[in-house]
PDB file of all heavy atoms in Angstrom:
ATOM      1  N   CYS A   1       0.784  -1.237   0.000  1.00 97.00           N
ATOM      2  CA  CYS A   1       0.000   0.000   0.000  1.00 97.00           C
ATOM      3  C   CYS A   1       0.817   1.288   0.000  1.00 97.00           C
ATOM      4  O   CYS A   1       0.394   2.286  -0.576  1.00 97.00           O
ATOM      5  CB  CYS A   1      -0.935   0.019   1.209  1.00 97.00           C
ATOM      6  SG  CYS A   1      -1.990  -1.445   1.343  1.00 97.00           S
ATOM      7  N   THR A   2       1.955   1.281   0.676  1.00 97.00           N
ATOM      8  CA  THR A   2       2.658   2.550   0.881  1.00 97.00           C
ATOM      9  C   THR A   2       3.362   3.065  -0.370  1.00 97.00           C
ATOM     10  O   THR A   2       3.853   4.197  -0.367  1.00 97.00           O
ATOM     11  CB  THR A   2       3.657   2.466   2.048  1.00 97.00           C
ATOM     12  OG1 THR A   2       4.611   1.434   1.768  1.00 97.00           O
ATOM     13  CG2 THR A   2       2.937   2.193   3.352  1.00 97.00           C
ATOM     14  N   GLY A   3       3.387   2.283  -1.434  1.00 97.00           N
ATOM     15  CA  GLY A   3       3.898   2.807  -2.694  1.00 97.00           C
ATOM     16  C   GLY A   3       3.085   4.010  -3.153  1.00 97.00           C
ATOM     17  O   GLY A   3       3.613   4.965  -3.709  1.00 97.00           O
ATOM     18  N   CYS A   4       1.783   3.965  -2.915  1.00 97.00           N
ATOM     19  CA  CYS A   4       0.891   5.091  -3.252  1.00 97.00           C
ATOM     20  C   CYS A   4       0.493   5.868  -2.001  1.00 97.00           C
ATOM     21  O   CYS A   4       0.402   7.086  -2.016  1.00 97.00           O
ATOM     22  CB  CYS A   4      -0.372   4.585  -3.949  1.00 97.00           C
ATOM     23  SG  CYS A   4      -0.047   3.787  -5.536  1.00 97.00           S
ATOM     24  N   HIS A   5       0.224   5.127  -0.900  1.00 98.00           N
ATOM     25  CA  HIS A   5      -0.241   5.734   0.343  1.00 98.00           C
ATOM     26  C   HIS A   5       0.937   6.056   1.260  1.00 98.00           C
ATOM     27  O   HIS A   5       0.890   5.829   2.463  1.00 98.00           O
ATOM     28  CB  HIS A   5      -1.220   4.796   1.057  1.00 98.00           C
ATOM     29  CG  HIS A   5      -2.507   4.614   0.333  1.00 98.00           C
ATOM     30  ND1 HIS A   5      -3.584   5.438   0.523  1.00 98.00           N
ATOM     31  CD2 HIS A   5      -2.889   3.685  -0.597  1.00 98.00           C
ATOM     32  CE1 HIS A   5      -4.584   5.037  -0.245  1.00 98.00           C
ATOM     33  NE2 HIS A   5      -4.187   3.973  -0.944  1.00 98.00           N
ATOM     34  N   GLY A   6       2.019   6.548   0.652  1.00 97.00           N
ATOM     35  CA  GLY A   6       3.208   6.910   1.408  1.00 97.00           C
ATOM     36  C   GLY A   6       3.378   8.411   1.456  1.00 97.00           C
ATOM     37  O   GLY A   6       2.421   9.169   1.317  1.00 97.00           O
ATOM     38  N   SER A   7       4.618   8.813   1.622  1.00 97.00           N
ATOM     39  CA  SER A   7       4.917  10.232   1.655  1.00 97.00           C
ATOM     40  C   SER A   7       6.022  10.492   0.650  1.00 97.00           C
ATOM     41  O   SER A   7       7.129   9.989   0.823  1.00 97.00           O
ATOM     42  CB  SER A   7       5.365  10.644   3.045  1.00 97.00           C
ATOM     43  OG  SER A   7       5.635  12.018   3.099  1.00 97.00           O
ATOM     44  N   PRO A   8       5.725  11.175  -0.422  1.00 97.00           N
ATOM     45  CA  PRO A   8       4.463  11.842  -0.745  1.00 97.00           C
ATOM     46  C   PRO A   8       3.452  10.844  -1.314  1.00 97.00           C
ATOM     47  O   PRO A   8       3.801   9.769  -1.785  1.00 97.00           O
ATOM     48  CB  PRO A   8       4.868  12.861  -1.813  1.00 97.00           C
ATOM     49  CG  PRO A   8       6.018  12.208  -2.515  1.00 97.00           C
ATOM     50  CD  PRO A   8       6.751  11.422  -1.450  1.00 97.00           C
ATOM     51  N   LEU A   9       2.184  11.249  -1.245  1.00 97.00           N
ATOM     52  CA  LEU A   9       1.110  10.459  -1.835  1.00 97.00           C
ATOM     53  C   LEU A   9       1.300  10.423  -3.348  1.00 97.00           C
ATOM     54  O   LEU A   9       1.717  11.408  -3.948  1.00 97.00           O
ATOM     55  CB  LEU A   9      -0.252  11.078  -1.500  1.00 97.00           C
ATOM     56  CG  LEU A   9      -0.643  11.093  -0.025  1.00 97.00           C
ATOM     57  CD1 LEU A   9      -1.883  11.947   0.183  1.00 97.00           C
ATOM     58  CD2 LEU A   9      -0.878   9.685   0.489  1.00 97.00           C
ATOM     59  N   THR A  10       0.999   9.278  -3.971  1.00 97.00           N
ATOM     60  CA  THR A  10       1.081   9.180  -5.417  1.00 97.00           C
ATOM     61  C   THR A  10      -0.181   8.524  -5.965  1.00 97.00           C
ATOM     62  O   THR A  10      -0.972   7.943  -5.199  1.00 97.00           O
ATOM     63  CB  THR A  10       2.314   8.360  -5.861  1.00 97.00           C
ATOM     64  OG1 THR A  10       2.221   7.041  -5.332  1.00 97.00           O
ATOM     65  CG2 THR A  10       3.612   9.005  -5.409  1.00 97.00           C
ATOM     66  N   ASN A  11      -0.375   8.601  -7.264  1.00 96.00           N
ATOM     67  CA  ASN A  11      -1.507   7.973  -7.957  1.00 96.00           C
ATOM     68  C   ASN A  11      -2.858   8.343  -7.345  1.00 96.00           C
ATOM     69  O   ASN A  11      -3.756   7.508  -7.251  1.00 96.00           O
ATOM     70  CB  ASN A  11      -1.340   6.454  -7.995  1.00 96.00           C
ATOM     71  CG  ASN A  11      -0.144   6.048  -8.812  1.00 96.00           C
ATOM     72  OD1 ASN A  11       0.193   6.691  -9.789  1.00 96.00           O
ATOM     73  ND2 ASN A  11       0.524   4.980  -8.403  1.00 96.00           N
ATOM     74  N   ASN A  12      -2.987   9.576  -6.933  1.00 95.00           N
ATOM     75  CA  ASN A  12      -4.236  10.116  -6.364  1.00 95.00           C
ATOM     76  C   ASN A  12      -4.679   9.440  -5.073  1.00 95.00           C
ATOM     77  O   ASN A  12      -5.854   9.476  -4.715  1.00 95.00           O
ATOM     78  CB  ASN A  12      -5.377  10.055  -7.389  1.00 95.00           C
ATOM     79  CG  ASN A  12      -5.079  10.910  -8.588  1.00 95.00           C
ATOM     80  OD1 ASN A  12      -4.579  12.026  -8.446  1.00 95.00           O
ATOM     81  ND2 ASN A  12      -5.361  10.394  -9.773  1.00 95.00           N
ATOM     82  N   ALA A  13      -3.770   8.811  -4.348  1.00 96.00           N
ATOM     83  CA  ALA A  13      -4.115   8.230  -3.047  1.00 96.00           C
ATOM     84  C   ALA A  13      -4.562   9.357  -2.120  1.00 96.00           C
ATOM     85  O   ALA A  13      -3.897  10.394  -2.035  1.00 96.00           O
ATOM     86  CB  ALA A  13      -2.918   7.498  -2.462  1.00 96.00           C
ATOM     87  N   PRO A  14      -5.691   9.181  -1.417  1.00 96.00           N
ATOM     88  CA  PRO A  14      -6.232  10.274  -0.609  1.00 96.00           C
ATOM     89  C   PRO A  14      -5.652  10.393   0.804  1.00 96.00           C
ATOM     90  O   PRO A  14      -5.886  11.388   1.477  1.00 96.00           O
ATOM     91  CB  PRO A  14      -7.719   9.942  -0.544  1.00 96.00           C
ATOM     92  CG  PRO A  14      -7.777   8.457  -0.672  1.00 96.00           C
ATOM     93  CD  PRO A  14      -6.635   8.076  -1.558  1.00 96.00           C
ATOM     94  N   PHE A  15      -4.929   9.381   1.282  1.00 97.00           N
ATOM     95  CA  PHE A  15      -4.395   9.445   2.641  1.00 97.00           C
ATOM     96  C   PHE A  15      -3.161   8.551   2.749  1.00 97.00           C
ATOM     97  O   PHE A  15      -2.975   7.616   1.979  1.00 97.00           O
ATOM     98  CB  PHE A  15      -5.438   9.034   3.688  1.00 97.00           C
ATOM     99  CG  PHE A  15      -6.190   7.774   3.342  1.00 97.00           C
ATOM    100  CD1 PHE A  15      -5.648   6.516   3.572  1.00 97.00           C
ATOM    101  CD2 PHE A  15      -7.454   7.847   2.773  1.00 97.00           C
ATOM    102  CE1 PHE A  15      -6.341   5.361   3.247  1.00 97.00           C
ATOM    103  CE2 PHE A  15      -8.161   6.693   2.452  1.00 97.00           C
ATOM    104  CZ  PHE A  15      -7.587   5.436   2.685  1.00 97.00           C
ATOM    105  N   GLU A  16      -2.310   8.871   3.735  1.00 98.00           N
ATOM    106  CA  GLU A  16      -1.115   8.074   4.011  1.00 98.00           C
ATOM    107  C   GLU A  16      -1.469   6.884   4.900  1.00 98.00           C
ATOM    108  O   GLU A  16      -2.406   6.961   5.706  1.00 98.00           O
ATOM    109  CB  GLU A  16      -0.053   8.927   4.715  1.00 98.00           C
ATOM    110  CG  GLU A  16       0.525  10.005   3.847  1.00 98.00           C
ATOM    111  CD  GLU A  16       1.587  10.835   4.559  1.00 98.00           C
ATOM    112  OE1 GLU A  16       1.822  10.630   5.777  1.00 98.00           O
ATOM    113  OE2 GLU A  16       2.184  11.690   3.894  1.00 98.00           O
ATOM    114  N   LEU A  17      -0.715   5.811   4.752  1.00 98.00           N
ATOM    115  CA  LEU A  17      -0.860   4.623   5.606  1.00 98.00           C
ATOM    116  C   LEU A  17       0.517   4.232   6.134  1.00 98.00           C
ATOM    117  O   LEU A  17       0.981   3.105   5.964  1.00 98.00           O
ATOM    118  CB  LEU A  17      -1.487   3.465   4.815  1.00 98.00           C
ATOM    119  CG  LEU A  17      -2.924   3.669   4.356  1.00 98.00           C
ATOM    120  CD1 LEU A  17      -3.378   2.520   3.482  1.00 98.00           C
ATOM    121  CD2 LEU A  17      -3.853   3.836   5.553  1.00 98.00           C
ATOM    122  N   LEU A  18       1.167   5.183   6.795  1.00 98.00           N
ATOM    123  CA  LEU A  18       2.532   4.985   7.271  1.00 98.00           C
ATOM    124  C   LEU A  18       2.633   4.714   8.763  1.00 98.00           C
ATOM    125  O   LEU A  18       3.619   4.128   9.210  1.00 98.00           O
ATOM    126  CB  LEU A  18       3.388   6.206   6.917  1.00 98.00           C
ATOM    127  CG  LEU A  18       3.551   6.471   5.424  1.00 98.00           C
ATOM    128  CD1 LEU A  18       4.247   7.803   5.196  1.00 98.00           C
ATOM    129  CD2 LEU A  18       4.314   5.338   4.765  1.00 98.00           C
ATOM    130  N   THR A  19       1.654   5.145   9.521  1.00 98.00           N
ATOM    131  CA  THR A  19       1.727   4.995  10.972  1.00 98.00           C
ATOM    132  C   THR A  19       0.518   4.219  11.489  1.00 98.00           C
ATOM    133  O   THR A  19      -0.507   4.108  10.806  1.00 98.00           O
ATOM    134  CB  THR A  19       1.748   6.368  11.673  1.00 98.00           C
ATOM    135  OG1 THR A  19       0.478   7.005  11.474  1.00 98.00           O
ATOM    136  CG2 THR A  19       2.871   7.249  11.148  1.00 98.00           C
ATOM    137  N   TYR A  20       0.655   3.722  12.703  1.00 98.00           N
ATOM    138  CA  TYR A  20      -0.465   3.033  13.334  1.00 98.00           C
ATOM    139  C   TYR A  20      -1.686   3.948  13.391  1.00 98.00           C
ATOM    140  O   TYR A  20      -2.796   3.524  13.066  1.00 98.00           O
ATOM    141  CB  TYR A  20      -0.088   2.567  14.747  1.00 98.00           C
ATOM    142  CG  TYR A  20      -1.299   2.144  15.545  1.00 98.00           C
ATOM    143  CD1 TYR A  20      -1.898   0.914  15.312  1.00 98.00           C
ATOM    144  CD2 TYR A  20      -1.858   2.984  16.503  1.00 98.00           C
ATOM    145  CE1 TYR A  20      -3.029   0.526  16.019  1.00 98.00           C
ATOM    146  CE2 TYR A  20      -2.982   2.605  17.206  1.00 98.00           C
ATOM    147  CZ  TYR A  20      -3.556   1.377  16.966  1.00 98.00           C
ATOM    148  OH  TYR A  20      -4.686   1.003  17.659  1.00 98.00           O
ATOM    149  N   ALA A  21      -1.499   5.199  13.781  1.00 98.00           N
ATOM    150  CA  ALA A  21      -2.632   6.131  13.905  1.00 98.00           C
ATOM    151  C   ALA A  21      -3.347   6.314  12.569  1.00 98.00           C
ATOM    152  O   ALA A  21      -4.588   6.321  12.516  1.00 98.00           O
ATOM    153  CB  ALA A  21      -2.145   7.484  14.436  1.00 98.00           C
ATOM    154  N   GLN A  22      -2.599   6.445  11.501  1.00 98.00           N
ATOM    155  CA  GLN A  22      -3.210   6.613  10.176  1.00 98.00           C
ATOM    156  C   GLN A  22      -3.979   5.360   9.757  1.00 98.00           C
ATOM    157  O   GLN A  22      -5.101   5.445   9.249  1.00 98.00           O
ATOM    158  CB  GLN A  22      -2.129   6.922   9.138  1.00 98.00           C
ATOM    159  CG  GLN A  22      -1.480   8.272   9.323  1.00 98.00           C
ATOM    160  CD  GLN A  22      -0.205   8.428   8.503  1.00 98.00           C
ATOM    161  OE1 GLN A  22       0.427   7.460   8.080  1.00 98.00           O
ATOM    162  NE2 GLN A  22       0.180   9.693   8.286  1.00 98.00           N
ATOM    163  N   VAL A  23      -3.390   4.196   9.974  1.00 98.00           N
ATOM    164  CA  VAL A  23      -4.034   2.932   9.599  1.00 98.00           C
ATOM    165  C   VAL A  23      -5.252   2.680  10.471  1.00 98.00           C
ATOM    166  O   VAL A  23      -6.313   2.280   9.983  1.00 98.00           O
ATOM    167  CB  VAL A  23      -3.024   1.768   9.674  1.00 98.00           C
ATOM    168  CG1 VAL A  23      -3.701   0.436   9.432  1.00 98.00           C
ATOM    169  CG2 VAL A  23      -1.889   1.987   8.677  1.00 98.00           C
ATOM    170  N   ASN A  24      -5.122   2.940  11.748  1.00 98.00           N
ATOM    171  CA  ASN A  24      -6.245   2.769  12.679  1.00 98.00           C
ATOM    172  C   ASN A  24      -7.436   3.619  12.240  1.00 98.00           C
ATOM    173  O   ASN A  24      -8.578   3.155  12.222  1.00 98.00           O
ATOM    174  CB  ASN A  24      -5.792   3.138  14.091  1.00 98.00           C
ATOM    175  CG  ASN A  24      -6.862   2.926  15.124  1.00 98.00           C
ATOM    176  OD1 ASN A  24      -7.600   1.949  15.088  1.00 98.00           O
ATOM    177  ND2 ASN A  24      -6.950   3.847  16.069  1.00 98.00           N
TER     178      ASN A  24
END
């Protein structure tokens, strides 16, 4: 997931999924 949902976001991903808080 973090290929797009990383920092920076790519491919129009709307949110990051890098931390527990973000995934939660």
Side-chain angles (χ1 to χ4, degrees):
C1 306
T2 59
C4 297
H5 292 271
S7 181
L9 295 170
T10 60
N11 295 326
N12 297 318
F15 46 81
E16 292 180 355
L17 294 175
L18 297 172
T19 67
Y20 167 77
Q22 292 167 339
V23 174
N24 183 40

